[in-house]
């Protein structure tokens, strides 16, 4: 089995700022075609505010068994950004060394900011405001409650899987 | 370990890897999207009875249970049917391996539609071809989340990648000769977002 040098959540990053829920979590899927070392996680943030903004970000790497997401690893960072700018942020302090095996993993991303939402990651940009819940197996969803830490496990049945904010996919690059 | 090969996974497989690691049992995908991350360009009107087909590279095994598309329904009357076909390509002939369909009579403007398969199947890794067709009891058509609306002036070059039938159909054909498919212009490259979940 090959060893990847990088993997991305999207083929490219969309121009839009995602409407990420503050102090809560959203789960999205990443398909790893081969193994990769969990070393560095990069994202693109867009600041459309009139001044500097700061953000605390935590990403959890979750596996799915049945209807339970289980935390396997995590990474976090706090950073600031000037107005009207896109920047890459890089997180390298993983909670443990890990070789991610091929297949689908779930990224739970938690973000806490002080502004009203004009500062968020770039990502999937098409409006998917479907009126019904996503049918079939679980592909992602948003927590409906606030949290201040990555949960060690979470039931997918407790996640919102309806509407645009439930199925957001930020642009995430994992590099070995 | 010595570098014994270099692998580019290309469009749809975003990673670049170095082959030569140890082998493990092939894992099973929980779902597969033709546009990773639900990417799409717009909601585009789908012509009734015009079957389109496009290639996908499925990286790992996948249970063929629930093909899902995102649709916008023009009104609350009548009924529309979405048909999905899973084809393999041998030479210049597409052969139907599996299919699914569902009929729609809801009133929501934008909705996920899950189709019901005709038979269970474990899709093996490799190149497969997704076909989609829409039927309607009215002249108003469904719009689907699609990849692109650009309109190249020439045919898609190289091996068969995607195209659409020029004759109307109300069912997934058992086989399709790629030579009868139109591979020029926006209609040929305009493909719907499709996700198959286990």
């Amino acid at each position: 089995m090959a060893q990847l040098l990088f993997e991305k959540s999207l083929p490219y990053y969309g121009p839009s700022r995602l409407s990420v829920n503050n102090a809560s979590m959203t789960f999205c899927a990443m398909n790893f075609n081969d193994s990769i070392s969990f070393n560095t996680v990069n994202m693109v943030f867009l600041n459309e505010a009139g001044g500097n903004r700061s953000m605390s970000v935590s990403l959890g790497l979750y596996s799915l068994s049945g209807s339970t997401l289980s935390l396997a690893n995590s990474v976090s960072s706090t950073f600031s950004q000037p107005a009207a700018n896109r920047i890459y942020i890089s997180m390298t302090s993983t909670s443990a060394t890990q070789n991610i095996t091929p297949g689908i993993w779930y990224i739970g991303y938690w973000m806490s900011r002080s502004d009203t939402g004009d500062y968020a990651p770039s990502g999937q940009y098409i409006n998917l405001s479907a009126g019904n819940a996503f049918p079939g197996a679980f592909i992602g969803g948003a927590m409906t409650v606030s949290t201040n830490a990555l949960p060690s496990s979470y039931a997918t049945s407790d996640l919102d899987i309806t509407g645009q904010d439930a199925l957001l996919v930020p642009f995430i690059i994992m590099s070995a | 370990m010595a570098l014994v090969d270099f692998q580019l996974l290309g469009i749809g497989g975003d990673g670049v890897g170095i082959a030569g690691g140890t082998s493990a049992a092939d894992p099973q995908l929980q779902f597969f999207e033709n546009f990773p991350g639900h990417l799409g360009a717009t909601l585009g009107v789908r012509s009734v009875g015009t079957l389109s087909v496009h290639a996908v590279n499925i990286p790992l095994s996948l249970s063929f249970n629930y093909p899902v598309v995102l649709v916008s329904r023009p009104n609350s009357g009548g009924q529309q049917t979405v048909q999905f076909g899973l084809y393999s390509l041998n030479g210049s002939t597409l052969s139907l391996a599996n299919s699914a369909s569902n009929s729609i009579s809801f009133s929501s403007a934008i909705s996920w539609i899950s189709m019901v398969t005709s038979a269970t199947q474990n899709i093996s890794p490799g190149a497969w071809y997704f076909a989609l067709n829409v039927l309607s009891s009215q002249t108003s058509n469904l719009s689907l989340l699609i990849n692109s609306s650009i309109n190249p002036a020439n045919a898609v070059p190289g091996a068969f990648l995607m195209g659409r039938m020029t004759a109307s159909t109300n069912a997934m054909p058992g086989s399709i000769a790629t030579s009868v498919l139109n591979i020029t212009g926006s209609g040929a490259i305009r493909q719907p977002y499709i996700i198959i979940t286990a």
Side-chain angles (χ1 to χ4, degrees):
Chain A
M1 195 70 73
Q3 190 75 11
L4 295 175
L5 301 179
F6 67 86
E7 188 63 279
K8 299 180 291 183
S9 60
L10 303 168
Y12 54 89
Y13 75 83
S16 297
R17 174 176 47 82
L18 301 182
S19 298
V20 176
N21 296 326
N22 194 34
S24 187
M25 283 188 70
T26 303
F27 293 87
C28 68
M30 277 188 72
N31 178 18
F32 294 89
N33 290 329
D34 277 306
S35 299
I36 185 171
S37 294
F38 186 54
N39 284 340
T40 302
V41 180
N42 297 323
M43 300 179 72
V44 177
F45 270 73
L46 173 61
N47 182 2
E48 293 180 337
N52 291 353
R53 287 290 184 265
S54 61
M55 177 83 84
S56 295
V57 179
S58 291
L59 265 71
L61 179 70
Y62 286 81
S63 62
L64 178 65
S65 178
S67 60
T68 301
L69 293 156
S70 298
L71 182 64
N73 216 323
S74 64
V75 66
S76 62
S77 181
T78 298
F79 58 93
S80 61
Q81 181 176 342
N85 199 3
R86 283 187 175 87
I87 64 167
Y88 286 102
I89 67 159
S90 187
M91 293 172 279
T92 56
S93 301
T94 59
S95 60
T97 58
Q98 179 179 354
N99 198 40
I100 301 173
T101 54
I104 289 181
W105 291 78
Y106 291 84
I107 307 298
Y109 52 95
W110 173 91
M111 298 173 188
S112 178
R113 58 178 179 253
S114 57
D115 67 273
T116 56
D118 46 14
Y119 182 40
S122 293
Q124 168 260 19
Y125 62 93
I126 189 72
N127 185 353
L128 296 177
S129 297
N132 59 338
F134 182 82
F138 177 77
I139 66 165
M143 284 176 67
T144 58
V145 296
S146 297
T147 182
N148 57 10
L150 299 177
S152 59
S153 66
Y154 211 81
T156 58
S157 57
D158 291 335
L159 295 171
D160 176 20
I161 58 171
T162 302
Q164 169 73 359
D165 61 339
L167 297 175
L168 296 175
V169 180
F171 184 59
I172 300 169
I173 306 170
M174 288 197 182
S175 57
Chain B
M1 180 170 291
L3 182 66
V4 295
D5 192 10
F6 193 77
Q7 181 182 29
L8 292 171
L9 296 178
I11 298 171
D14 304 318
V16 175
I18 300 173
T22 55
S23 296
D26 283 340
Q28 192 82 4
L29 285 178
Q30 290 155 345
F31 64 86
F32 172 81
E33 297 173 294
N34 57 350
F35 311 156
H38 336 313
L39 279 176
T42 186
L43 288 164
V45 173
R46 186 82 185 186
S47 298
V48 170
T50 302
L51 183 150
S52 69
V53 59
H54 67 281
V56 296
N57 275 322
I58 297 181
L60 302 168
S61 296
L62 171 72
S63 291
F64 181 61
N65 282 344
Y66 300 105
V68 176
V69 294
L70 186 74
V71 306
S72 174
R73 193 162 184 267
N75 55 57
S76 58
Q79 187 176 71
Q80 283 81 42
T81 299
V82 181
Q83 300 172 322
F84 172 81
L86 178 70
Y87 285 83
S88 62
L89 180 64
N90 185 7
S92 59
T93 301
L94 293 159
S95 297
L96 183 64
N98 216 322
S99 63
S101 68
N102 202 355
S103 295
I104 305 156
S105 57
F106 55 85
S107 57
S108 296
I110 301 177
S111 296
W112 296 106
I113 299 301
S114 177
M115 289 168 269
V116 180
T117 60
S118 56
T120 58
Q121 177 182 351
N122 198 43
I123 303 173
S124 56
W128 291 87
Y129 296 81
F130 285 179
L132 202 92
N133 192 35
V134 168
L135 305 176
S136 177
S137 62
Q138 298 180 333
T139 54
S140 297
N141 303 331
L142 285 179
S143 292
L144 278 78
L145 179 62
I146 59 173
N147 58 345
S148 170
S149 57
I150 61 173
N151 187 24
N154 57 339
V156 180
F160 176 75
L161 190 62
M162 51 192 166
R164 66 171 178 169
M165 290 180 67
T166 55
S168 180
T169 182
N170 60 9
M172 284 290 152
S175 64
I176 305 170
T178 57
S179 57
V180 305
L181 296 172
N182 177 13
I183 60 171
T184 302
S186 61
I189 67 167
R190 186 177 295 170
Q191 306 297 346
Y193 168 78
I194 298 170
I195 176 171
I196 297 178
T197 73

